[in-house]
Amino acid sequence: AAATVELAIEGMTCASCVRRVERALSQVPGVQEASVNLASERALVRYDPHTTSLDALIGAVEAAGYHAAIVP
Ligand code: 9UX
């Protein structure tokens, strides 16, 4: 079953940043869809919670050079 999480992303300043974050999230095994909005600084991620974790998603964003936090 898929889960969806919204992440607040800090550090994006251009459209290339958006693509970098989307690619970083998409490359995490278990991520089915990742869409990032620059204006709202939010990412919507659909993933399989049996395959990946919120920590892994946040870690992928951090490794790409941005900051991520779960939107409650
Ligand atoms: Mo363009 Mo976004 O250099 O860091 S990719 S501002």
Side-chain angles (χ1 to χ4, degrees):
T4 302
V5 66
E6 191 174 17
L7 300 177
I9 311 292
E10 284 179 19
M12 299 186 298
T13 53
C14 75
S16 292
C17 294
V18 171
R19 287 192 294 272
R20 285 175 184 174
V21 174
E22 285 178 342
R23 188 180 302 117
L25 286 168
S26 298
Q27 284 175 346
V28 177
V31 170
Q32 293 148 357
E33 185 175 12
S35 66
V36 173
N37 185 290
L38 179 60
S40 63
E41 296 186 288
R42 295 287 168 92
L44 210 60
V45 185
R46 194 159 51 85
Y47 66 102
D48 177 359
H50 297 289
T51 306
T52 190
S53 64
L54 292 174
D55 276 354
L57 300 179
I58 290 171
V61 175
E62 305 272 351
Y66 304 91
H67 182 71
I70 297 165
V71 178

